[in-house]
Amino acid sequence: FNRAYEQTFGIRREDYLGLTVQSVMHLSQGARDGFEADAQAALEGVGRQFSTIGTTLSVAFTAPLAAVTTFSVKAQASFEQAMNKVAALIDNVTKEQMGQLDALALKLGKETQFSAKQAADAMGEMAAAGFSASEVIGGLKGVLDLAAVGQLQLGEAAAISSGILKGFGIEADKMGYEI
């Protein structure tokens, strides 16, 4: 009921509901049972509709959420794999240095156009070229800058800069200044 209906027909909602309840109360037991059965069936139908809506919403929200979660887990596993490669390639790397390398890759993944995984891959290239943990920490930003400016793949930038630094005996922390 709304106000327009009340004005048009001159029946207030409260009066109508009261009449309906009184009408049902005056019905015979058989008629009341039929009324209750109809009402129960209508409520069950509404319940099924809500259940269908719930299932649809669950699928609509759960599937994308599961995809995002799966992607995040795979990305994290990929990053960890890259960092494990760095740890394996750097001689005598300490747990503290690995923590610094890990933090640096994550930081540069946020601050540059490259992801943390890509930064970790560049660390791996530098480590494969024989750089120590401190040299990788000092030179990684320069490698990322070279890759960005030269529009190079990070592996290429790491290989080029490593070759130049090693060939000319330049310290890795001078990567951004000398190359």
Side-chain angles (χ1 to χ4, degrees), residues 36-172:
E36 289 175 8
D38 290 344
Q40 182 67 29
L43 288 175
E44 287 173 359
V46 169
R48 281 192 298 277
Q49 288 175 343
F50 277 119
S51 178
T52 300
I53 290 169
T55 300
T56 302
L57 288 176
S58 178
V59 169
F61 288 111
T62 303
L65 182 61
V68 168
T69 302
T70 300
F71 177 76
S72 296
V73 169
K74 285 183 180 180
Q76 179 64 28
S78 183
F79 174 75
E80 291 300 325
Q81 185 178 18
M83 291 307 296
N84 287 339
K85 177 182 174 185
V86 172
L89 290 172
I90 297 178
D91 290 334
N92 301 318
V93 66
T94 66
K95 186 175 182 177
E96 180 183 333
Q97 289 172 321
M98 279 309 299
Q100 292 172 342
L101 289 165
D102 192 71
L104 179 62
L106 293 170
K107 177 182 177 225
L108 293 175
K110 290 179 183 175
E111 295 176 354
T112 67
Q113 69 189 43
F114 301 104
S115 69
K117 164 49 166 103
Q118 290 172 311
D121 288 340
M123 287 179 178
E125 291 293 329
M126 293 176 74
F131 286 101
S132 68
S134 60
E135 290 173 322
V136 171
I137 291 168
L140 181 62
K141 178 75 168 93
V143 170
L144 297 181
D145 289 343
L146 175 64
V149 170
Q151 296 182 348
L152 303 170
Q153 296 292 321
L154 279 175
E156 289 178 286
I160 291 169
S161 57
S162 297
I164 292 171
L165 292 176
K166 291 289 186 182
F168 289 100
I170 302 170
E171 294 179 26

